[in-house]
Amino acid sequence: MFTTKQTDAIWNALNGFHIELPSWGFANTGTRFGKFLQPAAAASIEEKFRDAGEVHRWTGVCPTIALHVLWDLPRGLADAAGVEELAAKNGVRAGSINPNVFQDQAYKHGSFGNPDPGIRQEALTHVLSSIEIAQRLGSRDLSLWFADGSNYPGTQNVRQRKKWFEDGLRAVHAGLAKGQRMLVEYKPFEPAFYHTDIADWGMALLFAQAAGPQAKVLVDTGHHYQAQNIEQIVAWLLDLNMLGGFHFNDRRYADDDLTIGSIDPYQVFRIFHEILHYEWETGKRADIAYMIDQSHNLKGKIEAMIQTVSTAMELYTKAALVDREKLARRQEKCELVDAEMCLKDAFSSDVRPVIREWSVSKGLPPDPLDAFRQSGYLERITAERSARNMASVTSYA
Ligand code: PSV
Ligand code: MN
């Protein structure tokens, strides 16, 4: 049983919690080895908005959907015109805007780090037009991920590419309107396997600082080496006022896009704990965009997204249960076991009954996954989309 103070902490946490859905999480995607197609997958921005709207309908904490420019708005601004109507119809707004400077054939040797000035300019033009899209849609955040790097030692001038990146990112920053932000994401490898131009949080931090005050770092939880202490990175970025957002997912080996907390829920809890501890100590709300970056190939896409959101709500509220006064006292006296128990006690609490009460108080179902399954939505879209989605299925047996 929770005390009133603990129940209030859970309710307050939920009242302020939002997490953004990725449009690409509703589409058929796969691994580099192949795709297992799903009959109900979304194939257009209209269908992605509908599916995202469905996740928000049952969970109540996902009011925005991240858009990937090339995949969702291939004609750029011309496609942005219809998005407001989609938002109004489905109850979810456009969230972060993700430019795509990795898929065009031109980017074989990189985008902002490409030795060809014409290609660097092409990439910059695309990112600047993505800013216009964001402005048109009222989206605050531009989310930047670069696949740039090289595969063989000696084949690229690493220092020169760093300078080109600084120039490019400064030019992007100059295109931002007041109040907009650019988030710089890092990834240690893939698709480049020898060197990656923005390989870790330190590089992303330096680039963001070089770009300007509206640039922050984006932490994709999947983009770290196995033993890396992600919550320490989070704590440092918070301290520097440089943490802009997250792409949540989990991974066993590399960037696997597994469901949040499916492998290590304690890690996600520790990340949320660092953020809430910072907020408690400073009395300031950390301005962080919580986003999901998962694209499920095996699980049902909408179900996996609801499972993800529910898990995020649980881990966030567990972190809100940490007794911070007690923890601070115990840290000060180096009471190791007791300090650690402040985290363990919160982590092992079953917050689900209180989340259910909170949901019902908001007119939401107590069990979003069950409500989705009972709604018949999956059967309806399967009937609508199946023939189209499965038309290209190939079997090699
Ligand atoms: C790259 O692995 C990444 O994490 C970036 O955020 C992309 O925008 C996203 O995945 C989708 O490819
Ligand atoms: Mn990501």
Side-chain angles (χ1 to χ4, degrees), residues 24 68 71 98 102 145 185 187 220 223 247 255 293:
W24 53 99
H68 230 290
W71 305 336
N98 294 250
F102 50 88
W145 174 68
E185 184 172 352
K187 186 173 185 178
D220 183 315
H223 296 182
H247 273 178
D255 181 30
D293 186 357

Side-chain angles (χ1 to χ4, degrees), residues 67 69-70 73-81 83-84 94 97 126-139 142 180:
L67 300 178
V69 173
L70 206 63
L73 308 159
R75 294 181 308 132
L77 262 186
D79 284 334
V83 170
E84 269 145 16
I97 299 299
H126 173 78
V127 177
L128 292 175
S129 68
S130 303
I131 295 179
E132 280 182 58
I133 294 174
Q135 288 165 355
R136 170 79 173 74
L137 299 179
S139 296
L142 185 77
Q180 275 194 302

